[in-house]
Amino acid sequence: MTETEQIIVGLISSAGQSKSLAFEALKKVKTGEYDEARKILEQAKEADLQAHTVQTKLIQAEMSDSGNKPEVGLLMVHAQDHYMTSQLARDLIEELINVFEAKEGK
């Protein structure tokens, strides 16, 4: 596995962790544990930030004038898909937490 492939797999891993944590936070909402849900959601945001940092580095490398541009292949597309869906899941779950919390008057 090349260094770039390892970096891309790291992006997939961070995005997956963010998404898993977001759904874990949503499970806490089912039992009314809103404070715990928000703590877990913060962990999801930290994992998302790790993924974003990797994504930014890959984009910067692609835009650079150096001859060391990452190859845009199926693995890169797969990583972007994971990252985008993890962001959507986290954002949607955060809003669901707000809605349920408001509905219960918390």
Side-chain angles (χ1 to χ4, degrees), residues 6 8 11-12 25 33 37-39 51 54 57 93 98 103:
Q6 289 175 352
I8 294 169
L11 172 59
I12 294 168
E33 299 174 74
R38 291 198 184 283
K39 287 178 187 175
V54 172
K57 288 180 182 178
I93 289 169
N98 292 335
K103 186 177 179 181

Side-chain angles (χ1 to χ4, degrees), residues 22-74:
F23 278 98
E24 186 179 328
L26 186 59
K27 287 179 184 177
K28 294 294 181 182
V29 171
K30 289 180 182 180
T31 57
E33 299 174 74
Y34 293 102
D35 290 338
E36 186 63 25
R38 291 198 184 283
K39 287 178 187 175
I40 295 170
L41 201 58
E42 283 302 313
Q43 294 173 3
K45 287 179 182 181
E46 289 173 20
D48 184 62
L49 183 59
Q50 291 174 359
H52 179 72
T53 300
V54 172
Q55 180 196 45
T56 300
K57 288 180 182 178
L58 289 167
I59 290 169
Q60 288 172 340
E62 186 175 331
M63 293 176 60
S64 75
D65 291 333
S66 73
N68 195 19
K69 294 184 179 196
E71 181 181 325
V72 178
L74 187 56

